[in-house]
Amino acid sequence: MKLLNLKFFFIPLFVLQTSLINASEFAIINVNDLIQFKVKTAIDLKKKKIGLMNVKNLNDHNGMLFLYKNPQKVTMWMYKTLIPLDIIFIDDKGIVLSIKEGVPESRILISSEKKISAVLEIEKGCANYFKIQKGSNLKWKLVNFSEIKEFRYYDCLDGKEKIE
């Protein structure tokens, strides 16, 4: 009987924890412990399928972070994506394994060669600006909108700092 009671305690706790993770709208990316910028998150399948499709510009964030529970080979494409992108494949230790170019509206598949835990999509040229390269160490913190109201958005392409 006590085992049954513990189930009722842990199941709601797990559901609450999963809900909080999925509710995270943004992530703060930290590059080599030096540079920070914010991106939207794609954690659930629906957000992963939509990604940055039909987005004409990134006005309040620098891109999107796709997160995977288990390391896996991932394939992306740029269908209906209007912004040229740097597509960054990241392993489970936060190490950048490769950076590929995403050409707007292309149907060519872009794949990780190895199993990864995350994909970071940022505007083309921003990986270079943020000094992200193969072997870079990326860390992130999931946050919701209320936690980043004062966090500055940095447009890497025009060099201007913007406050929301």
Side-chain angles (χ1 to χ4, degrees):
M1 194 63 149
K2 286 186 179 185
L3 186 60
L4 184 61
N5 289 339
L6 287 175
K7 269 188 188 176
F8 289 114
F9 175 74
F10 285 113
I11 290 173
L13 184 62
F14 175 75
V15 170
L16 176 62
Q17 183 181 8
T18 304
S19 298
L20 290 173
I21 290 170
N22 288 336
S24 300
E25 299 172 63
F26 292 91
I28 304 300
I29 306 292
N30 185 315
V31 183
N32 296 325
D33 294 323
L34 299 173
I35 299 168
Q36 287 188 333
F37 59 92
K38 71 178 175 176
V39 295
K40 286 194 173 185
T41 58
I43 298 170
D44 60 51
L45 187 58
K46 182 179 177 184
K47 283 190 178 181
K48 286 177 186 171
K49 284 183 177 182
I50 295 171
L52 293 174
M53 287 176 139
N54 300 310
V55 174
K56 294 180 181 174
N57 55 50
L58 301 173
N59 289 329
D60 65 344
H61 58 91
N62 289 98
M64 184 166 276
L65 180 66
F66 298 76
L67 295 172
Y68 300 90
K69 288 181 184 178
N70 300 311
Q72 58 192 275
K73 288 188 177 180
V74 174
T75 300
M76 315 286 281
W77 73 341
M78 296 287 292
Y79 178 66
K80 292 188 180 179
T81 304
L82 309 173
I83 303 168
L85 297 173
D86 290 331
I87 301 173
I88 303 164
F89 294 99
I90 307 161
D91 74 7
D92 59 341
K93 293 180 178 92
I95 304 300
V96 173
L97 297 180
S98 64
I99 302 173
K100 300 193 177 178
E101 180 181 349
V103 177
E105 302 194 62
S106 171
R107 292 180 186 230
I108 295 172
L109 299 179
I110 303 166
S111 299
S112 63
E113 290 89 29
K114 298 179 181 178
K115 291 183 178 183
I116 54 97
S117 293
V119 177
L120 177 62
E121 291 184 344
I122 54 180
E123 276 188 272
K124 184 175 177 357
C126 289
N128 188 46
Y129 182 83
F130 289 136
K131 299 181 171 121
I132 299 172
Q133 56 192 343
K134 187 175 179 178
S136 291
N137 184 6
L138 302 183
K139 297 175 187 167
W140 50 85
K141 177 184 176 189
L142 300 179
V143 295
N144 60 40
F145 183 74
S146 64
E147 293 177 272
I148 60 164
K149 282 185 180 175
E150 299 301 318
F151 192 85
R152 294 174 185 225
Y153 158 65
Y154 198 81
D155 187 336
C156 71
L157 297 180
D158 74 7
K160 295 180 184 169
E161 206 169 356
K162 301 175 183 179
I163 301 175
E164 291 182 7

